[in-house]
Structures are given as C-alpha cells and as structure tokens.
Amino acid sequence: MAISSSPIASPLGININTKLAASSSFPNLALFNLPSKPTNRISTIVLSSYRNGLTSEDKKALYEKYGLDPNQFPSQPSSSSPSLKTKRRKEIQNPGRGKQVREEDGEDKPQRTTHRLLQVLGGKAKRKKLLSPKGMDVRPMMEVVKGSAFDILQAAGGCPASLRPGRWLDLYSGTGSVGIEAISRGCSEVHFVEMDPWVVSNVLQPNLECTGFLDVSVIHTVRVESFLECAEQFVGQDSAFDFISVTPPYTQVDYGILMDQISKSPIVGEDTFIVVEYPLRTDMLDSCGCLVKINDRRFGRTHLAIYGPEWAQKKRKK
C-alpha cells in the first residue's frame, strides 16, 4: 500500500506518519514523511494498492481515524479498470441511418467536399458557376475542350450561334457541365446518366437547380452499361437522341467495347452526333455504327472525337 499526497497535517498538528506506520490494521503501508506543522491548505489524499487495494469501508475508517472527512476525498479509479478514453468511441452522423460507431483503430475516410470552379461558357446560362467535387474522383471535361466541342457541333448543324433543337444524352455526366451547356445553348431536354448517388445529390442536382434547368432534365442513377442495355426502358420507344456526350473515366473503360455497345444501342439514330473524350494513345475507329468521324482534335493529353451523319461531313468539307 502506498500513500502519495500533498503535505497533510492532522487537525491537532500532530505528525501522522508515525501513527500510520505503527497501525496494526494497515501493515503494508509505505509512507512519505509529512510535515508536523499545521497548514491551512486543503490537502488531497490518494490511496492505491500494490495488491488487492483497500475497500471503501477501510478507506473511510482510515480517514475518520485521523480526523479527516471522507467526503472530501473522492475515490481514485482503479488502474486495472479501462480508462474512459479507451472506452469512448467516436460517433458520426450519417443521413438516413442515424449515428454510426466509428472504430478508433480504423482510418477515417476523407469527407467529400465541393467547390465552384466550372462555369457555363455560352447561351442563356452563360457565366453561371457550377459545383464540382474536390479531388480526382470526378474529372469534368476541360472548358477549352467543351467549348471546342460545341463550336464544332453548332457549325455542323448549320447554326454557328446555337445548337439545333433536340435531345441530349450525357453519359458519365458527373457534374453535368456538358449537359447543362447543351441546354444553355438550345437543347430542349437532357438525360444525365451518373452512377454515384453522392455526386447526383450534392453536385449534379444543385447545378441544375442553380441554372434553372431542373425541369428539362432527367437523371438516371445507374451504370452506363446498364443504361445502354435497357435504354428503351429508361427513355421509352423513341430512344434515339440528337446528341450524345461520352466522357468516361479514362482508366475504367475499354473504349473499343464501349463504342461498340453505343453503336448497337437504340439511342443512336441516323442524324445523331456523338462527342467522345478519350486519352492519348487510344485508337478510335473512323465510324460508330451508321455515323462517321467528322472531327478529331488533340488538347494536350486529351483527344476529342466527334461522330455524325455523312451529310454533316460533306457540309464540313464544302
């Protein structure tokens, strides 16, 4: 048994060390020398044991024996019991599921956040700022590439100032910047295909709301492959679109398989234009179903291919 404390004096100013050491009730006590002079400072006494420790009754008797009030000395938690710090677990709030327990040993996933770096380049929503996720999990089309793509489409459609009216399908839409640009420049309706629910609820939908295009938009929260396989179920019998943009994550798709699936899908019509963003050292065919490649440009490591009907290619040559 050991006692460690600030200097303690009995109410009578008697040195209590000798009395404690001589007490036969507590033979295992190891004491420090305590001053015999009285002091007005309130002292704190802490009892601990090398073996089994004192019971609360023994501690109370010890305090009362030397004229101390037991209520002034709160009990010290045992060293063998787990501390409050090790018992405590962090709780996080997860919308829809309430609170979840996060293990202390596990690494916390970084919280996904957004910023406004993108903007609409032309049309009625020109210069409107758009949200995009921070980090590289979603990679929007560069503005220089997007601007060039729409310039080519407008010229191919015979109206350099705006797009010809029609429906747009934005595959791998992410932030929705391409589809929003299409609505701003004259498209009547846009279908967005994005599989990440967080991106849809925190990026895509707020972008549509801030530009005022939510009423002319349809969001499909599914994989692109699933959408292409069951396109008629998603968009109805008249499933052919006037424009299609394809901006997938470079490392997660096989462009040969993807373009073959698109060419065989009912979403492609005889007068459809397809915009494809692809990385360096990727071989793109000169045709996509009934459509031919009418333009292919390079922007650093990014390439832009545009497929369209033969009449658009002839008009470009003229």
Side-chain angles (χ1 to χ4, degrees):
M1 180 70 61
I3 300 176
S4 61
S5 71
S6 302
I8 302 176
S10 69
L12 300 178
I14 303 173
N15 189 338
I16 66 173
N17 290 352
T18 55
K19 289 191 175 185
L20 286 173
S23 175
S24 60
S25 300
F26 308 99
N28 294 327
L29 290 175
L31 305 176
F32 295 98
N33 290 326
L34 302 176
S36 59
K37 295 181 180 180
T39 178
N40 294 328
R41 187 164 60 89
I42 298 176
S43 303
T44 302
I45 185 169
V46 180
L47 301 177
S48 59
S49 176
Y50 291 123
R51 295 181 182 177
N52 297 329
L54 291 175
T55 63
S56 58
E57 290 79 8
D58 292 337
K59 292 179 182 178
K60 183 177 181 181
L62 179 62
Y63 290 133
E64 292 177 348
K65 184 174 182 178
Y66 296 99
L68 302 175
D69 185 1
N71 296 326
Q72 295 182 357
F73 303 94
S75 59
Q76 184 79 2
S78 172
S79 60
S80 61
S81 62
S83 65
L84 295 177
K85 186 175 181 180
T86 57
K87 285 184 177 180
R88 190 178 298 118
R89 294 196 176 178
K90 299 176 183 178
E91 292 183 346
I92 57 174
Q93 188 71 26
N94 185 10
R97 291 190 177 182
K99 292 183 178 180
Q100 288 185 337
V101 176
R102 179 186 298 160
E103 296 293 340
E104 297 231 353
D105 296 336
E107 294 183 0
D108 299 339
K109 292 184 178 180
Q111 186 177 4
R112 302 176 75 179
T113 56
T114 60
H115 52 186
R116 291 187 182 272
L117 293 181
L118 304 175
Q119 66 175 346
V120 182
L121 301 180
K124 53 190 174 183
K126 186 176 181 179
R127 295 190 181 90
K128 283 273 190 178
K129 292 291 186 179
L130 302 177
L131 288 171
S132 60
K134 292 183 179 179
M136 295 300 293
D137 52 342
V138 175
R139 184 191 52 78
M141 177 183 280
M142 293 187 300
E143 292 188 349
V144 62
V145 180
K146 182 172 66 173
S148 179
F150 278 91
D151 289 343
I152 296 171
L153 291 175
Q154 290 172 185
C159 183
S162 63
L163 285 173
R164 60 188 177 94
R167 297 193 309 158
W168 188 290
L169 174 62
D170 190 0
L171 299 177
Y172 305 97
S173 58
T175 63
S177 65
V178 178
I180 290 173
E181 190 77 32
I183 301 174
S184 181
R185 294 184 183 234
C187 275
S188 56
E189 181 183 84
V190 175
H191 288 248
F192 298 89
V193 181
E194 172 56 49
M195 63 173 288
D196 190 335
W198 185 90
V199 173
V200 170
S201 59
N202 293 277
V203 181
L204 175 56
Q205 191 166 343
N207 283 341
L208 292 172
E209 291 173 351
C210 78
T211 52
F213 297 154
L214 192 60
D215 293 339
V216 293
S217 303
V218 181
I219 301 175
H220 306 278
T221 312
V222 296
R223 296 179 62 87
V224 168
E225 294 81 2
S226 302
F227 180 86
L228 295 175
E229 291 174 358
C230 308
E232 292 182 350
Q233 297 180 13
F234 289 107
V235 297
Q237 296 295 327
D238 186 17
S239 55
F241 287 87
D242 299 283
F243 303 94
I244 301 172
S245 56
V246 185
T247 56
Y250 292 161
T251 60
Q252 298 181 20
V253 298
D254 184 317
Y255 277 84
I257 297 175
L258 175 62
M259 296 307 297
D260 181 67
Q261 190 176 12
I262 291 175
S263 65
K264 297 177 180 178
S265 173
I267 63 173
V268 178
E270 294 181 355
D271 296 327
T272 299
F273 287 88
I274 303 178
V275 179
V276 185
E277 185 184 46
Y278 66 96
L280 192 65
R281 299 186 182 89
T282 301
D283 295 328
M284 298 294 292
L285 297 177
D286 292 332
S287 63
C288 180
C290 61
L291 306 177
V292 295
K293 187 190 292 184
I294 62 175
N295 211 314
D296 198 335
R297 292 189 182 181
R298 177 179 175 180
F299 303 85
R301 296 182 179 180
T302 299
H303 282 252
L304 182 69
I306 298 182
Y307 297 89
E310 291 186 3
W311 59 260
Q313 186 182 45
K314 294 177 181 178
K315 181 183 294 187
R316 180 173 178 272
K317 288 180 179 181
K318 290 180 181 180

